[in-house]
Every structure is written in structure tokens, then in C-alpha cells.
Amino acid sequence: MIKPHHTTTTTLILPFLFLLLSISFHLFPFPQTLTLTHPPPPPSPSRTTHIVRFVHYKHAREHLLYLRENLRNKNNRWEWIERRNPAAAYPTDFGVLEIDDEVRVEVVEELEGLELAKDVSVEFRYTRGLLGRRGDDGGDGCVFGVGRKRRPGKIFTRMSFNESEGGMCGSGGGNGSFGSRSRRLLLQRTQVTSLFGADVLWAKGYTGEKVKMAIFDTGIRADHPHFRHIKERTNWTNEDTLNDNLGHGTFVAGVIAGQDSECLGFAPDAEIYAFRVFTDAQVSYTSWFLDAFNYAIAINLDVLNLSIGGPDHLDLPFVEKVWELTANNIIMVSAIGNDGPLYGTLNNPADQSDVIGVGGIDYSDHIASFSSRGMSTWEIPHGYGRVKPDIVAYGRDIMGSKISTGCRSLSGTSVASPVVAGVVCLLVSVLPVNKRKQVLNPASMKQALIEGAAKLSGPHMYEQGAGRVDLLESYEILKNYEPRASIVPSVLDFLDCPYSWPFCRQPLYAGAMPVIFNATILNGMGVTGYVDGPPTWHPSNEDGNLLSIHFTHSGIIWPWTGYLGLHMQIKEEGSQFLGLIEGNVTVKVYSPPAPGEKAVRTSTCVLQLRLNVIPTPPRSKRVLWDQFHSIKYPPGYIPRDSLDVRNDILDWHGDHLHTNFYTLYNMLKDAGYYVETLGSPLTCFDARQYGTLLLVDLEDEYFEEEIKKLKEDVLNTGLGLAVFAEWYNVDTMVKMRFFDDNTRSWWTPVTGGANIPALNDLLAPFGIAFGDKILNGDFTMDGAQSRYASGTNIVKFPAAGYLHSFPFLDSSDSGGTHVLASSFTKEDLPILGFLELGEGRISVYGDSNCLDSSHMVTNCHWLLRKILDFTSMNIKDPVLFSESARQDAPLYENSNKLPSRRTDVNFSAYSSVMGKALICRSDSRFEVWGTKGYNIQVRGRNRRLPGHQAIDLGGGFNSSLLRSDANKSTVSRQSKRDSLSNKYLSLLYRDELDTPVQAASHWLLPALVAAFGFLLFLSFWRIRQKRRRRRRGSGSGKLGNF
């Protein structure tokens, strides 16, 4: 029997191995897998309808034959839907298929692989609901679109069916007031056509004759006495009628071309083409619109009115068909939306640059409370929106035709839109029929309307566009119009307040993030155009050389329009300059020759600049707003921030300082702060320039480089950090999941009100984390009462900080749904914290609704001011920093219990971080464009922080520039929950430690690993030595026997 001589070493190794494994499980826990219990799905339809778009126009039967010949799956698992409508006689670029759900994925993938198939999308079902009696929505009862529950899928604003007789709708806002009684009675005495001077053009013989006017709505009756020329009525629905049984289409037609003396239209001799695209239940489908648009192109219409819209500007079949429509020289007029007075609420297609988007005003020239405000949100978060609406027109209490006879009044931007459409019809008739298509197009008509508009004195450009439409001024412009290109707006004047808001609120200064102005290029010379050479800045004097402008612009101007982006910075030598910089930006545009011409058409556009410049403000007064990590609808289901709001489930207002956070922006300006926007990662700003980084309601992930840099910025550079979080609860997100009849698919929130797991990663180096409770209630602090609306709680916070707790109702167990308050027990939970760490200061708060003007109950501007006093200037409010709030012991939550990421959502499809390259975009400082940003060497901070690991400097700025494309940095879904130092020591002490103590953490795990390795090596060495000795003994015995 051989004795195991290595027993002693093994007995030492095994306990140590178990200890190390135990440490590993504590420090590096396996990622939690969330098992989501979904609500049972509704009975799944056996087939789902899809739209297949093709590369070429062909007759429907040719497309069908192509699919039959090329689809391998021919076992009656899909069916071509025949569309019996007037467009069937013309070639088409799409087909409608019903596909069995069991093979849906397989068939769609096969369709997308076909050479002649452009793309495949689910058929949208559009709905518009009837408006209830006045006051049902608690606001402007006579306006469609107010109070409508928004759901994913294609959304349309409501029609209005309320009479305005006997009283006016409430204004709902200061600048939406209607004025004196004499003004309110104005409409009863005067036709809206007379307010625009239509009778002047009628007297000249211009009445809309031979203008082909399309009205996409609910239809019209053939024998209606108010109309002279109902040229054609077409039905695109699944109902067997051409008549208008609701009255909305008839009303719109009456505003445009009615001849009744009580409700005159603008162009009574226009030829009406009534497209019935909505059923009596106000339902429509994508394919109905696409067919109707194709037919409008085929019969060569002149003007098209679309008094509908929705927030989904990424519905590509719809959006691209509108482009195609305008490219075929059809002037489209559309309502901007009735989601006012909120900002960032523009509706599509009115928010497209090739469409004339119309907002509404009252008879006092105030913006109607219901009218949606800009800016456009297509470009957010990585750019800046365009000016919309284009123009405004009277939209309150407008008279139009009833369904069979007589007149009535309605309000809404769907009423303002036909007012402008009527004006356009009248202007088209000014030109001879044989010259109309040569001169008039969507760009030239928009130029005439915008250049002739009357700028209103109160609203800014993102409320009124160019101003109130002026028929007679536009007529004078068109009389002598020569095809040309122009820039809209044509002037940016920092001294013109309030029209130039927000630019007029904050001057330029050296060292700031670029100020971006997004202008529109209108090209009246042709449907396609090009920018000839780079745009040029022409300063009026030497001071203008202090301004540096980088330009971005459309590669191809199509259809009729493009963009010009100005990224403006003051050079470093202008850091002490105080004064005005004036000059012009010129852009040369050219288009191919028109039919019958040989020479290329050219035009020089001019944008006038008048900029206010000041010396660079002190660091403590500069605040940087993080826009980069914001995600909005569309395309993903980003849920609302306040779960108490039932009529708007989507977060679609842009979450920008100049959209739904505009009141916050104005407050900060009034308080003397200078606010800049960062649309690039956190590595793309120099922390030495700013007092506070403001993170509000953010939904995206963070690059590892961002987390490391922010730690350095706060602890060593003295950057202040202010965080306003939101709710995040997986159970609630699961309960918000629903089956959408519009798209025949499940819609699931891709995150909560904010991305708490990502925020916790960002805050982990500071020992701070949020939880997953959903808290609601009122509280009072420092004499101010505030509402906490669906906010979250703080679950980790270091000692020596200041933490405030209040009694709230927690609705997370009910999935955030509204239940009686009596069913909950209030619990004191921490929601507000203040911490000094290293050279920086941090404040965290669990709710952002008090800063968001969309659904704000009470604002917390007072709290933000006190937070900035602390983070930027180290001014401590005695109430917020009272001894009773001081934390003697750390608040600790095990990392395993922190909110976890969902595993059933493809978040990378919506993220600007996951699977993306870390790169500084064109909204960051010019010197870091196209790089990974500032690193420590660039800032001269090549030193180790007290108690923190030194950060690898890499190759500095230049090498970062060279490697920016090659090295794509991505963030992992299994990213660390805490800094390594906190993890190591929390195992031993079960709480967080202050920064100086964390120094020991950096050698603890390496030492343990080294000791384990040494003992393991020693064990193997001793075993090997024993085996060698046994072999020698065995060999000697064998030799002797031999």
C-alpha cells in the first residue's frame, strides 16, 4: 500500500480553493436571467397582412407572377390580396400579402432576399376617433386630437365634429386666449376668406379654375349644393360607398372650395378630387393610402390636402411615398398636429421639409393652444431639429360646409390646413395653365408662402414658422417668380427675441459646444439639386473672423428640399470678445436643365447671421446637458415617464432642452446659467470647462470608457454631477406589454422611464445606486411642495453623504397601475442625495417629471437651483445639508438585488451605444470630431488619483484619432454593477467605504490569486517529486531482478 505523501498540501489547497470560489461567486455573480411571465396573448390571427415594396412599377399581376415563380414556399401559406380600386388600372410598386403566422418569419426572410423586392413591412391600421362633447378631454373640447390615447403603430389625430356655436373653446394657455368679445364675434360678421383678401383676387378673375385639388379624408356627396366642380370621387376603403357619412371631408372641402355665402371657400372653381380613405369608423390602412397616393400621381393632380398626422416619422412606406408624391410636383399641405401647447409634438407628414406644415392661430394672432410646436425631432439626439411649422393660419372657429347642406364651425389644425390649401389653390390659378408646372412646385410655392408671411410679434420660430400666411403678398411674389433656391429661415438674429428663441437667450462664447442651426434649402429650380462647393462664411468686418463655422449639408437636394447645418464656435482668441458678429453665409445650388433648356440652372442662397458674443463665462455658471443617452419613440416602445398619464403611453417629445424641457431651459437662463448640449458620448467634452453635468431621464447604455472618464472627471477634475432618474421595474414593463392590432405584433417597453441598470453602472464608482420601486406622492421641503410622480428610490449611498427620505406610496407591486391609495402603506424611502467625493460633488434624485413640461404637475426648479448651487459652486443649503440628513453609515444594497436588464429585448436595435463605435460626432468640439474624445493625456492629467487606479493613457489624442475607426468599443449587457474596489471590500465589510480606504482594494484580489497560484504550484511540484522518487525505486528493483 502506497501512502499519499501529498495529503498535507492538498488539505491546505482545498479549503483555500473553496474560499476563492466563494469570493468569486460574491464578487462576480452569474448574471441573473429574468423569467418574464407574459400575459396570455389574444387569439392569434391565422394570418398577418404585409406590404411588399418592389424596386420597379409594374402591373399587379406581374408582381404576383414574380412572387409565384421565386418563392419556394408555395404551399398556400401566403396569399396575394387583390386590390379593387381605381389604382388597379395603373402600374404599382407594392403588393399586399397575407402570410400564415406559422411560417411568417420564413416567408418574410425569403421575400427580403428577392432581387426585385425592396422591403417588407407589416400593414398598419390607422384609426381616428370621434371627439366627444365639449369638455370631455378637460381642455379644448372642440379640437380633435386632444386626450387621444397614443399607442405604437401609425397614429392619426382625431377629427373634430363639435359645433362652436354658443361659445368658444377654452384657450388652455396664455397665448391661446381669444381676446375681447368683439374679436370673438368677428367670425360671425366676416368670412375667413375676406381676412386674407381672397375677394381681391376674385375680382381679378382668379378663382381656382382648372386647379386639380385632392382631398384625402372621409369623402363627399355627389350632389352637395356647396360645390361647383366635384370632378371625381374615389373610394379606397372596404366600404361600398363614396359618400361622406361623418362630415369631416365635406367640411374640409367647403373651406377650400365652398360657394355658399355663409361659408365661402377660397377657390370655388377648383376641381375637387375627393379621396375617401377613411371608413365611417375612421379606420384606414397603409395600402389604402399608398394606392391613393399612386393614383394621385397617375392623374397628375396639383394640390393635395391631408388634415391628419401622427408622431411616427419612421414609417418608411408612408414617408417615402410622400416624397415620391411631391417629387411628382404635387403640392402637399398638411396639419402640423393638435398636441399643443407641448413642444416637440410635430406630426408627420407635416414635419417633412417637402410638405407645407400648417399650425393654427386664433383671430387675435395668438398661437392656438391646441397647435403642435416644434422643433422637428427626426435629428435628435445627434443633431438639431428644423423649423416647423412652416406657416400658421386661422384655425379656431372656421366656417365650413355641413354634410348635406348648411354651414358650421370647427377648430383645429385640420381646419387651418385646408385654409392654406385653399390659399394655394387660389395662387396656382394665378398662373396660366400651360405655365403652371414650369413655375410652380412644392419648393416654389413654399417660398412664396414663407417669404410673403407676416411674422407675429409674440411667438418664436418653432411656434409660428415664418408667420401668418399672407395671400396677397404671396401673390405678388408669384407674379414675377423666377426659379431659384433659398434658405429657410433666411435670417438668424440673436437679438431678435422672442422670435429667435432659443438662440436669442444665450450668446456665443469661446470654449462652448458648437451651436447648431439647422436650416432648410428650398430648391425651386428642380426636383433634384446639388450644392456646388462648400458653403462660405462672409463676415462683415474683422471681428467676424473670430467665428468658426463647420457646415454639413445634403449631398443631394431631393425632392425639392435639403438641409444646411451650421456648427458655430467662437475661436479661442475670442475668449474676451464682447460684441456682435455679422455677415452672410452663401451656398451655391445647381440643378439639371429643365425640359427645353441646355444650361444648368444655378442659384446662390444667402443666410444672414447676426450673432451676440460674450467673454467665456466662469466654469461654475456653465452646465452641460447630456442628450446623447436619450432614446425616444419612434422607433422603439419607449414608455412615458409618469405612469399616472393614461392618454399618452409613449415618450415621443424628444426629451430635449428646446422641446419638452423648454421651461427648464428658460429657468436656467433666468438663473444666470449657460447651458450647452452634448449629443456625443461623455468622452467628448472637457470637464474642466463645466461646473455641472446634468443627466436627466436617460434611457441608453454607457461605454466603459465613459464610465472611467466620468469617474476621473468627478474625483479629480472637480466636475459636478446632477442626476434625475425615473422609474424602472421589470414587472411593470411586462404588464405594459400588449398585442397591437395595428401591426399584429407584441409591443414591449424596451426600458423603463429611465435605464436604471445603466445609470447604476455609471454611478457604481461613487457607491450610488437606484432601486426598482415606483413611488408616488406629495412632499414638502424647504417650504416648497412637490409631486413625486412615478419616481424611483435610492438603495445605495456612501457614508458622510446627505440623504432625504419621505413617505410615499409604492405601486411597483401593482405594475404601476393606478389603484386606490388606501390599498398601499406609505413607507419612508430615500429619493434625494448629496455627496462630496474627491474634488467633485454629486446630487441624485429619483424623478424627472418635475422638470418635464409634458406631464408636469408641479415643477422642482427650486430644487434644481439648489442642486446646481452645490454641484457647481459648493454652496450648501442649510435644509438640504442639515445634520439630520447626514449619513453616519452607508446605505447598502447587495449588487445581486439591484435592478437587472431585460434579457428578452433586443436593446441594441435602439441604442447608440450597444454594438456601436465610440466616436465624437459633429455636435462636439471641432478638435475631437471623428475621434474617441478627450483622454487624460490631452488634458494633462497623467497622474494617479488618490485611492484610485491610474487610467491607461494609451497613445494620446493622435493615436485615438487614428484608431477611431479600427477599434469599435462596445458595452456588454453583463457590465459590472460596481467598481471592482467596492466589490472586493463589500465582501469583507458589507458596506461602502470612502475613497481613501479603497486604495487597498487594488492589491487584494491579485494577492489572493498569486497566493493561490503559488500554493497550487507547490502542490503539483511536491506530487511530481514523489512520483519521480517512486519511479527511481521501481526502476532499481526491476534492474536488480533482471
Side-chain angles (χ1 to χ4, degrees):
M1 181 177 179
I2 302 176
K3 295 178 66 175
H5 294 282
H6 55 281
T7 302
T8 305
T9 307
T10 305
T11 56
L12 290 173
I13 289 294
L14 290 178
F16 192 85
L17 180 59
F18 283 122
L19 173 63
L20 190 63
L21 289 175
S22 176
I23 293 175
S24 299
F25 278 113
H26 279 279
L27 297 183
F28 307 102
F30 289 112
Q32 291 181 327
T33 300
L34 300 177
T35 303
L36 304 180
T37 305
H38 300 300
S44 177
S46 59
R47 288 187 167 184
T48 300
T49 306
H50 288 73
I51 292 177
V52 182
R53 294 197 294 169
F54 297 99
V55 176
H56 304 295
Y57 273 85
K58 294 182 179 179
H59 285 282
R61 182 159 186 81
E62 294 182 60
H63 289 309
L64 172 59
L65 292 175
Y66 173 75
L67 294 184
R68 285 178 175 171
E69 292 172 359
N70 290 276
L71 282 182
R72 294 186 302 272
N73 196 334
K74 301 178 182 180
N75 300 323
N76 298 321
R77 308 307 297 270
W78 60 272
E79 181 181 357
W80 178 275
I81 304 301
E82 185 177 356
R83 310 191 302 279
R84 297 183 178 91
N85 56 47
Y90 297 88
T92 182
D93 62 337
F94 75 96
V96 180
L97 269 65
E98 283 188 353
I99 305 174
D100 286 2
D101 287 345
E102 294 179 358
V103 295
R104 175 182 169 186
V105 175
E106 175 188 344
V107 174
V108 168
E109 288 180 353
E110 194 171 351
L111 286 168
E112 290 175 337
L114 296 180
E115 182 180 359
L116 299 183
K118 183 177 180 181
D119 55 35
V120 184
S121 58
V122 176
E123 166 96 289
F124 278 109
R125 177 177 180 266
Y126 307 164
T127 58
R128 291 196 297 188
L130 286 172
L131 185 67
R133 292 186 300 274
R134 186 192 318 272
D136 285 352
D137 53 14
D140 285 358
C142 58
V143 181
F144 70 84
V146 181
R148 189 188 194 287
K149 185 175 181 180
R150 292 193 176 275
R151 294 167 65 92
K154 190 70 176 180
I155 303 166
F156 281 111
T157 48
R158 289 184 183 178
M159 303 174 188
S160 175
F161 295 94
N162 265 47
E163 303 287 348
S164 295
E165 299 166 357
M168 300 298 168
C169 299
S171 65
N175 65 352
S177 60
F178 200 77
S180 65
R181 177 173 176 79
S182 62
R183 298 289 284 178
R184 292 198 299 269
L185 295 176
L186 179 62
L187 185 59
Q188 299 177 16
R189 303 192 306 266
T190 308
Q191 296 287 344
V192 67
T193 52
S194 298
L195 297 178
F196 288 102
D199 48 348
V200 175
L201 295 188
W202 295 341
K204 296 179 180 292
Y206 305 125
T207 57
E209 186 176 4
K210 294 186 179 180
V211 177
K212 301 164 75 173
M213 176 73 220
I215 299 172
F216 277 55
D217 219 285
T218 60
I220 194 172
R221 297 193 175 184
D223 57 351
H224 200 291
H226 286 192
F227 305 102
R228 296 175 186 170
H229 304 292
I230 300 178
K231 195 72 173 180
E232 184 180 41
R233 299 183 304 149
T234 52
N235 176 37
W236 305 87
T237 74
N238 54 12
E239 296 177 338
D240 187 18
T241 180
L242 292 165
N243 290 331
D244 180 8
N245 298 318
L246 295 175
H248 194 270
T250 305
F251 182 90
V252 169
V255 174
I256 296 172
Q259 63 174 344
D260 188 271
S261 59
E262 294 184 9
C263 48
L264 284 171
F266 284 85
D269 284 322
E271 299 175 357
I272 297 175
Y273 290 75
F275 288 70
R276 190 176 187 270
V277 292
F278 279 91
T279 67
D280 291 343
Q282 300 172 73
V283 173
S284 187
Y285 288 88
T286 304
S287 59
W288 297 355
F289 271 93
L290 300 185
D291 270 334
F293 284 150
N294 280 343
Y295 185 69
I297 295 171
I299 63 176
N300 197 25
L301 297 179
D302 296 315
V303 186
L304 188 152
N305 182 78
L306 196 62
S307 288
I308 58 173
D312 187 3
H313 54 257
L314 294 182
D315 180 10
L316 290 184
F318 189 90
V319 170
E320 292 182 2
K321 185 58 68 175
V322 171
W323 287 343
E324 185 180 348
L325 188 89
T326 58
N328 280 273
N329 211 359
I330 297 177
I331 301 169
M332 178 180 280
V333 183
S334 187
I336 204 66
N338 292 317
D339 294 291
L342 304 179
Y343 287 75
T345 55
L346 303 176
N347 281 207
N348 179 264
D351 62 347
Q352 295 183 210
S353 58
D354 55 320
V355 176
I356 299 172
V358 183
I361 58 174
D362 60 28
Y363 291 102
S364 296
D365 283 346
H366 296 146
I367 301 297
S369 58
F370 53 75
S371 187
S372 292
R373 274 73 164 166
M375 57 185 174
S376 64
T377 57
W378 292 43
E379 301 82 1
I380 298 174
H382 309 304
Y384 197 80
R386 288 164 286 109
V387 175
K388 280 279 185 171
D390 295 301
I391 51 175
V392 292
Y394 298 123
R396 193 185 286 281
D397 294 301
I398 302 299
M399 298 297 292
S401 302
K402 284 187 176 181
I403 195 168
S404 56
T405 186
C407 303
R408 62 171 178 171
S409 64
L410 296 178
S411 299
T413 55
S414 73
V415 176
S417 179
V419 168
V420 173
V423 167
V424 169
C425 270
L426 201 51
L427 290 173
V428 171
S429 67
V430 167
L431 296 178
V433 176
N434 60 344
K435 291 186 178 180
R436 288 176 185 174
K437 292 294 184 179
Q438 300 174 18
V439 176
L440 293 180
N441 53 60
S444 62
M445 180 57 72
K446 185 180 285 193
Q447 287 172 330
L449 294 175
I450 287 176
E451 294 169 13
K455 187 168 74 174
L456 306 180
S457 59
H460 59 70
M461 67 175 76
Y462 297 105
E463 294 176 315
Q464 65 166 310
R468 184 189 66 241
V469 64
D470 189 321
L471 171 62
L472 298 182
E473 285 295 324
S474 298
Y475 161 71
E476 293 297 329
I477 293 171
L478 279 180
K479 275 198 315 182
N480 303 306
Y481 181 83
E482 293 292 334
R484 54 185 169 80
S486 62
I487 296 176
V488 176
S490 59
V491 178
L492 178 60
D493 186 352
F494 275 38
L495 300 186
D496 184 9
C497 249
Y499 181 77
S500 292
W501 182 94
F503 303 99
C504 63
R505 289 302 312 267
Q506 180 162 301
L508 298 178
Y509 48 85
M513 289 291 169
V515 172
I516 304 175
F517 181 62
N518 191 354
T520 298
I521 300 174
L522 297 178
N523 180 24
M525 299 183 297
V527 64
T528 303
Y530 306 89
V531 174
D532 185 8
T536 308
W537 160 237
H538 306 278
S540 59
N541 53 46
E542 291 185 359
D543 292 339
N545 293 322
L546 296 175
L547 176 65
S548 177
I549 305 180
H550 284 202
F551 299 96
T552 54
H553 58 80
S554 302
I556 299 177
I557 302 172
W558 183 92
W560 309 103
T561 62
Y563 72 89
L564 173 67
L566 279 68
H567 306 252
M568 299 177 286
Q569 285 183 191
I570 298 299
K571 298 176 182 177
E572 292 302 322
E573 51 265 36
S575 61
Q576 298 302 316
F577 179 77
L578 176 64
L580 294 178
I581 288 180
E582 299 182 76
N584 296 328
V585 171
T586 58
V587 182
K588 295 181 179 179
V589 175
Y590 70 92
S591 287
E597 297 179 350
K598 295 182 179 180
V600 171
R601 290 184 166 188
T602 61
S603 180
T604 299
C605 310
V606 178
L607 171 61
Q608 301 177 32
L609 297 182
R610 190 183 186 207
L611 312 176
N612 192 20
V613 183
I614 61 171
T616 302
R619 178 188 186 187
S620 61
K621 286 296 183 179
R622 294 176 62 181
V623 176
L624 186 64
W625 170 276
D626 180 8
Q627 189 68 39
F628 176 78
H629 295 95
S630 175
I631 304 177
K632 61 178 178 61
Y633 172 85
Y637 178 5
I638 308 298
R640 63 187 181 274
D641 297 326
S642 175
L643 297 178
D644 289 336
V645 178
R646 300 295 165 186
N647 65 344
D648 198 351
I649 69 171
L650 299 172
D651 190 359
W652 64 284
H653 299 167
D655 282 350
H656 193 280
L657 277 169
H658 302 153
T659 57
N660 50 310
F661 286 100
Y662 76 97
T663 57
L664 166 64
Y665 175 77
N666 287 336
M667 181 277 295
L668 291 175
K669 293 306 304 171
D670 292 339
Y673 287 98
Y674 296 86
V675 192
E676 303 170 32
T677 302
L678 177 66
S680 291
L682 299 181
T683 59
C684 302
F685 78 96
D686 184 353
R688 296 175 301 170
Q689 304 296 321
Y690 300 95
T692 298
L693 173 65
L694 192 54
L695 310 181
V696 179
D697 183 23
L698 299 178
E699 295 89 1
D700 211 338
E701 294 286 335
Y702 298 89
F703 293 103
E704 290 292 341
E705 293 89 339
E706 294 182 281
I707 298 174
K708 292 177 181 178
K709 178 179 179 293
L710 185 62
K711 175 182 174 182
E712 149 81 3
D713 289 342
V714 172
L715 296 175
N716 193 59
T717 311
L719 176 69
L721 179 63
V723 180
F724 285 76
E726 267 301 336
W727 69 270
Y728 182 96
N729 184 275
V730 173
D731 290 339
T732 296
M733 285 184 269
V734 171
K735 291 177 181 179
M736 295 175 71
R737 179 176 183 260
F738 66 90
F739 189 82
D740 181 27
D741 289 333
N742 292 343
T743 59
R744 298 296 183 92
S745 60
W746 283 102
W747 280 77
T748 302
V750 299
T751 184
N755 190 341
I756 293 301
L759 269 178
N760 285 346
D761 286 349
L762 189 69
L763 297 173
F766 315 119
I768 300 173
F770 291 103
D772 64 354
K773 293 185 180 297
I774 301 176
L775 306 179
N776 293 276
D778 297 321
F779 69 97
T780 301
M781 176 184 286
D782 206 6
Q785 184 170 352
S786 295
R787 167 70 58 86
Y788 205 71
S790 305
T792 190
N793 59 315
I794 300 172
V795 295
K796 294 181 72 172
F797 206 77
Y802 295 81
L803 206 56
H804 296 268
S805 301
F806 298 92
F808 291 118
L809 301 175
D810 177 15
S811 60
S812 56
D813 290 338
S814 66
T817 56
H818 181 70
V819 295
L820 293 176
S822 59
S823 63
F824 291 109
T825 301
K826 288 188 176 182
E827 180 183 0
D828 273 2
L829 292 167
I831 62 167
L832 174 63
F834 297 90
L835 178 67
E836 290 185 87
L837 201 60
E839 297 182 17
R841 292 167 292 277
I842 302 173
S843 174
V844 291
Y845 186 64
D847 186 27
S848 68
N849 281 286
C850 57
L851 301 178
D852 187 341
S853 61
S854 292
H855 306 301
M856 182 189 297
V857 178
T858 58
N859 73 65
C860 58
H861 294 166
W862 62 273
L863 177 60
L864 178 58
R865 286 194 293 268
K866 293 179 183 296
I867 287 174
L868 293 177
D869 285 344
F870 168 64
T871 56
S872 291
M873 295 175 282
N874 201 19
I875 299 175
K876 300 178 180 178
D877 180 84
V879 174
L880 299 180
F881 291 85
S882 63
E883 281 301 315
S884 61
R886 183 178 176 85
Q887 290 292 109
D888 295 327
L891 177 67
Y892 179 80
E893 178 75 47
N894 192 298
S895 297
N896 295 334
K897 297 182 180 180
L898 294 180
S900 302
R901 292 170 173 84
R902 300 190 63 172
T903 58
D904 61 335
V905 173
N906 181 20
F907 194 76
S908 61
Y910 315 103
S911 172
S912 296
V913 175
M914 294 191 63
K916 311 300 191 301
L918 171 60
I919 188 170
C920 297
R921 302 169 183 263
S922 58
D923 51 8
S924 52
R925 296 280 300 173
F926 297 162
E927 59 264 24
V928 295
W929 277 23
T931 75
K932 291 186 176 182
Y934 299 91
N935 61 19
I936 301 171
Q937 183 172 338
V938 173
R939 299 199 309 273
R941 297 287 178 177
N942 186 6
R943 57 192 178 96
R944 186 171 179 228
L945 299 178
H948 291 269
Q949 288 178 320
I951 300 177
D952 183 12
L953 301 181
F957 176 81
N958 291 331
S959 62
S960 175
L961 174 63
L962 295 174
R963 295 194 305 265
S964 61
D965 292 331
N967 299 334
K968 295 184 181 294
S969 176
T970 60
V971 65
S972 171
R973 297 290 283 182
Q974 311 298 339
S975 55
K976 301 178 181 65
R977 304 295 182 192
D978 284 304
S979 66
L980 293 178
S981 57
N982 291 341
K983 282 185 175 180
Y984 305 155
L985 295 178
S986 65
L987 172 66
L988 305 178
Y989 298 101
R990 290 298 180 194
D991 59 38
E992 304 293 344
L993 299 182
D994 291 338
T995 303
V997 186
Q998 294 176 0
S1001 67
H1002 298 293
W1003 53 262
L1004 179 59
L1005 185 60
L1008 292 174
V1009 173
F1012 169 72
F1014 174 77
L1015 291 175
L1016 192 61
F1017 170 79
L1018 181 62
S1019 174
F1020 287 138
W1021 181 79
R1022 295 192 62 179
I1023 292 172
R1024 186 175 182 183
Q1025 291 299 318
K1026 277 294 182 182
R1027 288 177 177 174
R1028 286 180 177 177
R1029 284 195 291 269
R1030 286 200 303 271
R1031 288 195 202 101
R1032 292 193 188 101
S1034 174
S1036 300
K1038 289 180 180 179
L1039 182 60
N1041 293 336
F1042 177 75

